[in-house]
Amino acid sequence: MSTHPPARLYRLYPAYCFHASPTYDTWVKVTAADVQSLRREPKFPEQRLYFHINYPIRYVRLVGVVVAIDDINLKYTVLTIDDGSGANIELKIVRIPPVEQNPVDTSSNTTIDNVNIISPFGIFEVVVDNHKLDIGTVVKVKGTISEFRGVKQLDLKRIWVVTSTNEEVQAWTETAAFKREVLSKPWHLSRTEGNRLKAKDKAQRKNAQDYQRRMAEYEAKKLEHERTRDKKLAEREKKLELKRRQEEREMNKGALI
């Protein structure tokens, strides 16, 4: 029995092609189940880079209902959302502790402009654009993918409260359209486009190498200039010291007369 893995029906393009993908520099509209099914590729060890078929994905957008709000510690708060896809996902909010902690009022802002954590003694609230999040609140979120204990989660970058059914339906329609029109089939680059990207990458690498070479030559010349300058300064100091000693001897001779 063959132990070789089955051949893929798609091509994993080189990293220099990623920017031509419709997913690499985009907030990819997916579900929590989609995020959990994304995979890493050993050929591309870049952190926070995952793949769906052969699409490279770094940023995702989801819509779902808040089902849990956890006050982890003064550094992190975690929201859990359920979007009905069969998998939940946690959203990590990074908190910024106040410069001077008050043991009674430990409220802190976060790294997200429109999110604030309110946590005086006995109270804990997550506020988004002045809306208090509750269990059941529908939110639209954007984030980068990370993992905790083997389970994918999002490092939250943007969040909005969805305030109407029409807005929620519109968001789901966008997700369905993106999955149908983009993610349902492998990403394909024409040979012409692939060759253009390869040539562009080669030119960029050459420019980078030329820049590094010029910088190395500049640093070498700079070092040689500094050495020459230091040598001349040392010779000048030596001559001045000899002259000073000669003058001192002449003065001492006069003092003995």
Side-chain angles (χ1 to χ4, degrees):
M1 181 181 294
S2 173
T3 58
H4 295 290
R8 284 173 167 163
L9 301 178
Y10 52 84
R11 178 185 175 190
L12 281 176
Y13 292 103
Y16 60 74
C17 295
F18 287 173
H19 286 285
S21 162
T23 58
Y24 189 66
D25 292 318
T26 301
W27 295 107
V28 180
K29 302 175 182 68
V30 288
T31 66
D34 294 329
V35 173
Q36 297 298 352
S37 67
L38 294 176
R39 70 181 193 282
R40 301 294 300 270
E41 283 290 341
K43 289 173 60 178
F44 305 105
E46 176 186 339
Q47 289 186 347
R48 302 180 185 276
L49 176 63
Y50 292 82
F51 287 84
H52 168 78
I53 311 180
N54 60 343
Y55 291 95
I57 293 175
R58 298 185 293 171
Y59 317 117
V60 296
R61 192 213 72 174
L62 295 88
V63 180
V65 178
V66 176
V67 294
I69 303 173
D70 295 308
D71 180 18
I72 304 300
N73 52 43
L74 289 177
K75 190 174 182 180
Y76 299 114
T77 291
V78 172
L79 309 178
T80 303
I81 65 170
D82 181 356
D83 61 2
S85 65
N88 294 348
I89 195 162
E90 293 185 342
L91 317 173
K92 185 172 71 174
I93 300 173
V94 178
R95 302 171 63 172
I96 304 174
V99 176
E100 296 182 358
Q101 284 273 340
N102 185 317
V104 177
D105 184 357
T106 58
S107 299
S108 67
N109 289 326
T110 73
T111 57
I112 308 167
D113 290 342
N114 65 333
V115 178
N116 192 41
I117 306 297
I118 309 299
S119 55
F121 183 75
I123 298 175
F124 181 78
E125 296 178 355
V126 180
V127 179
V128 176
D129 291 322
N130 297 319
H131 293 274
K132 175 189 172 184
L133 294 189
D134 289 311
I135 304 302
T137 301
V138 179
V139 292
K140 180 167 62 177
V141 301
K142 293 179 177 180
T144 56
I145 307 165
S146 59
E147 294 187 31
F148 180 69
R149 295 178 179 173
V151 178
K152 296 182 184 68
Q153 62 180 14
L154 296 189
D155 292 345
L156 195 62
K157 303 300 181 184
R158 307 276 195 282
I159 183 169
W160 299 266
V161 174
V162 177
T163 57
S164 70
T165 302
N166 287 340
E167 187 180 355
E168 183 179 358
V169 170
Q170 176 63 30
W172 278 112
T173 300
E174 293 170 353
T175 298
F178 193 89
K179 293 179 67 174
R180 180 179 64 252
E181 297 169 6
V182 178
L183 299 178
S184 62
K185 55 187 180 298
W187 170 37
H188 175 71
L189 275 177
S190 68
R191 177 173 294 184
T192 300
E193 180 67 2
N195 288 338
R196 185 189 70 82
L197 292 171
K198 184 177 182 179
K200 180 179 178 182
D201 178 67
K202 184 178 179 180
Q204 289 176 338
R205 288 176 182 271
K206 184 178 183 303
N207 289 338
Q209 290 172 353
D210 290 344
Y211 175 77
Q212 292 295 331
R213 176 180 53 78
R214 291 195 300 269
M215 286 300 297
E217 291 174 351
Y218 168 78
E219 291 296 334
K221 289 180 180 178
K222 180 180 177 183
L223 181 60
E224 182 62 27
H225 172 74
E226 291 175 349
R227 286 174 177 172
T228 301
R229 182 197 60 193
D230 291 345
K231 183 178 179 181
K232 289 181 178 179
L233 287 174
E235 291 175 349
R236 182 170 179 271
E237 288 296 327
K238 184 177 179 180
K239 290 179 179 179
L240 289 173
E241 179 63 15
L242 290 173
K243 183 179 180 181
R244 185 189 64 79
R245 290 181 180 180
Q246 181 64 31
E247 291 175 346
E248 185 178 359
R249 284 195 294 268
E250 292 297 329
M251 291 176 64
N252 289 337
K253 287 180 182 179
L256 295 174
I257 297 175

